[in-house]
Amino acid sequence: MKYGIDIGHNCPPSDIGYVGIRKEDELNKEVGAKIIAKLKELKHEVMCCTPSADSSLSNSLYRRVNKANEENVDLYVSIHFNGGKGHGTEVFAISEAGKKTAKRVVDEIAELGYVNRGVKDGSFLYLLKNTKMPAILVEAGFVDSKDDMERYNAENIANAIVNGITTF
C-alpha cells in the first residue's frame, strides 16, 4: 500500500501549529517521523507530503494535497495535535473509506487512555476536500491539556496510528 503522510504544519514561516504546554509542530514531527519509519519497516511505500517551507498557509495546504494526488497514494494521513482547552483524540474524515479508517485510528489512540472524541466530519478541511483518495486528519491529543501532555508518548501514538491505518 502507498501512504501519503503529512506531518501537520511544520512549514515555516506561514504554517505553524498550536502552542500550549508543548508545541504542536514538534509533536507532529516526532510522531510523523516514527509513523513513516514504521510503515517503511512494514514494507509499505510512503510519501512525505509536508513541504519544507512556504510563503502562505493556503499554498502550504495546496502543495500537501498536490503531492498526495500526483503520487497517487492510497491513503492520505495528516498528523496533528489539537488546542483549545479540550482533551482527548478525534479524527476527521469525509469518505466512507476514510471514516472506517478514522474509526480504527481514534479507537487505537483512545486505548492509550485518551478520551475518545470520535470520528468528526472533515468536509470543511481543505486537505480532506481536495485529496483524490481516502484521507484522514488525526488530532492525537491537546497540546494545552495537562492530562494529554502527561500521557503523551510519541512511540505509543505512532504505533496506534500505524495499527489503525494498516489493519483492515
Side-chain angles (χ1 to χ4, degrees):
M1 188 140 161
K2 190 174 187 179
Y3 292 93
I5 303 299
D6 171 19
I7 298 172
H9 305 290
N10 277 283
C11 194
S14 62
D15 190 0
I16 58 172
Y18 198 93
V19 177
I21 297 166
R22 302 278 308 269
K23 293 180 179 177
E24 180 185 6
D25 272 1
E26 292 172 1
L27 302 183
N28 294 348
K29 193 172 193 176
E30 188 176 9
V31 171
K34 289 181 182 300
I35 290 169
I36 290 169
K38 289 173 185 304
L39 289 171
K40 287 180 177 179
E41 286 173 17
L42 293 171
K43 307 295 185 217
H44 292 288
E45 191 172 350
V46 183
M47 303 305 306
C48 182
C49 298
T50 310
S52 58
D54 220 312
S55 59
S56 72
L57 174 60
S58 60
N59 199 51
S60 169
L61 296 173
Y62 168 79
R63 288 177 59 201
R64 294 163 196 268
V65 167
N66 193 49
K67 173 92 177 208
N69 289 339
E70 281 182 354
E71 295 291 340
N72 199 28
V73 302
D74 297 308
L75 178 67
Y76 178 85
V77 180
S78 189
I79 307 301
H80 292 266
F81 282 79
N82 227 332
K85 304 198 191 263
H87 56 278
T89 183
E90 59 195 13
V91 181
F92 292 85
I94 297 174
S95 70
E96 285 308 308
K99 289 175 184 175
K100 286 179 184 174
T101 301
K103 174 82 168 98
R104 290 192 307 268
V105 170
V106 77
D107 288 348
E108 287 277 348
I109 296 172
E111 286 291 319
L112 301 173
Y114 291 86
V115 171
N116 190 335
R117 297 167 59 97
V119 175
K120 308 287 183 169
D121 176 17
S123 60
F124 67 98
L125 294 167
Y126 181 90
L127 297 171
L128 302 184
K129 289 191 306 188
N130 292 286
T131 48
K132 296 177 182 174
M133 70 291 302
I136 63 172
L137 186 143
V138 179
E139 295 281 7
F142 280 75
V143 297
D144 56 355
S145 164
K146 184 176 181 282
D147 289 343
D148 285 3
M149 290 301 95
E150 286 177 354
R151 185 171 286 112
Y152 172 76
N153 177 295
E155 186 76 19
N156 292 344
I157 292 173
N159 284 334
I161 293 170
V162 169
N163 287 343
I165 65 176
T166 60
T167 304
F168 301 98

